[in-house]
Amino acid sequence: MPLGLKARRKNKSRDSSTLVDNEGGPAWRGGSAGAVSPGGGGGGPGLPAPPPHARPKLVFHTQLAHGSPTGRIEGFSNVRELYAKIGEVFGIPASEILFCTLNTHRIDMEKLLGGQIGLEDFIFAHTKGLKKEVDVFKAEDALGLTITDNGAGFAFIKRIKENSIIDRVKVILVGDHIESINGQGVVGCRHYEVAKMLKELPKGQTFTLKLVETTKAFEAIEPRSRGARPGGEAKIGTGRGTLRLRSKGPATVEQLPTEFEEKAIAKVDDLLESYMGIRDTELAATMVEVGKDKKNPDEFAVALDEALGDFAFPDEFVFDIWGAIGDAKKGRL
């Protein structure tokens, strides 16, 4: 690690190195950046909503994933506004929407809507379905699941590791919303907070999860998937550009990520899962955006603290992120 990195970073009170429900690697952006990324969530209080004239006048097509007519939505700048628009179209409360996928009605975590929507993407909304309560015996430290959130207060399971504790509990599914842990409600919590709570559960004891499945069409009832593959190559959007949603400030229309940005974002997302037990492409994209024009790791660390200081990332993680961005720039990924 270069000299000066620790000295130049702000002193944070929260230790994010404990936030891991890790899957065998070392122990956060989250599914989705503290107050920055609506994909993995945007939990912190944002700026006032931009005036209507400042919002992109783009129209998107949408359906409920379990089946519905096609609706048209426009005039949203963040995930909460998007869910509200979908709710208006289909006559349901926005709080019934767990997450959205792009261009598929299936629970495909590689197509999960994060902070960007391709201008020609079709949005499928997955709504609340069956509720269930499950007892799990924590025989090992690692439970084997990756948590993300929808940017509007719902954390859910993004991936289940094969042969893990959770994999052996067959009623727990990818896409399940975690409503409470041992009676403590987690609605409104960010994914890294939920991952921390699961990590801190004592080994050798049974804990109780209250979960909510997505609503399923009859033909969608099939053996469960383990979710997105680590390091998957899913691309964001299929249109000529993307609408980037932000929890602070108006949405903006941007070009699709460059090859460098795509590779760097994928690598940073892998590092987030390795260190924090979560995946969040929008947080990863924010970190790459912060670091791509910085000249050294000290400068990057200071900029990262200014943009995402609430996460209090450990210095080792920041240095690994800097290395990943550098490798992508030089074509080594």
Side-chain angles (χ1 to χ4, degrees), residues 87-250:
E88 290 173 9
V89 167
F90 297 112
I92 61 174
S95 59
E96 287 296 302
I97 300 171
L98 292 178
F99 55 85
C100 294
T101 50
L102 300 177
N103 306 312
T104 178
H105 68 281
R106 298 184 180 276
I107 302 175
D108 183 347
M109 291 298 161
E110 293 187 6
K111 303 295 178 64
L112 190 66
L113 185 151
Q116 299 189 40
I117 307 172
L119 300 185
E120 297 176 7
D121 280 344
F122 199 109
I123 302 169
F124 289 88
H126 298 255
T127 58
K128 291 181 179 178
L130 176 70
K131 291 192 174 187
K132 53 197 178 185
E133 186 171 307
V134 185
D135 291 333
V136 181
F137 181 72
K138 191 174 183 182
E140 307 166 16
D141 288 326
L143 292 171
L145 78 170
T146 300
I147 307 296
T148 190
D149 64 55
N150 70 350
F154 293 160
F156 57 93
I157 298 172
K158 186 170 185 179
R159 188 165 70 88
I160 297 174
K161 186 177 181 181
E162 189 173 2
N163 297 321
S164 65
I165 292 174
I166 296 299
D167 189 38
R168 294 192 287 269
V169 184
K170 298 304 181 183
V171 296
I172 299 179
L173 307 172
V174 168
D176 281 358
H177 160 49
I178 302 175
E179 197 171 55
S180 72
I181 302 170
N182 280 341
Q184 181 176 347
V186 296
V187 174
C189 293
R190 293 298 316 280
H191 46 10
Y192 60 85
E193 296 172 309
V194 176
K196 180 181 179 182
M197 290 176 64
L198 291 168
K199 175 67 175 178
E200 293 178 346
L201 291 170
K203 182 179 174 181
Q205 294 186 22
T206 297
F207 64 94
T208 301
L209 294 175
K210 285 189 177 180
L211 306 169
V212 183
E213 291 185 13
T214 59
T215 304
K216 294 178 174 61
F218 181 77
E219 63 272 15
I221 300 175
E222 56 187 20
R224 76 178 184 190
S225 163
R226 292 191 175 87
R229 297 186 301 274
E233 296 297 324
K235 296 183 184 297
I236 303 174
T238 59
R240 292 164 293 176
T242 64
L243 178 67
R244 184 168 184 180
L245 307 180
R246 303 178 185 274
S247 59
K248 291 185 176 182

Side-chain angles (χ1 to χ4, degrees), residues 24 56 86 101 174 232 263 284 332:
I86 295 174
T101 50
V174 168
K263 290 183 176 180
R332 293 198 291 257

Side-chain angles (χ1 to χ4, degrees), residues 25-71:
W28 169 158
R29 169 210 155 26
S32 288
V36 178
S37 167
L47 298 175
H53 68 270
R55 306 183 186 188
K57 296 299 183 182
L58 302 171
V59 178
F60 295 87
H61 292 87
T62 183
Q63 288 182 0
L64 299 179
H66 60 277
S68 75
T70 298

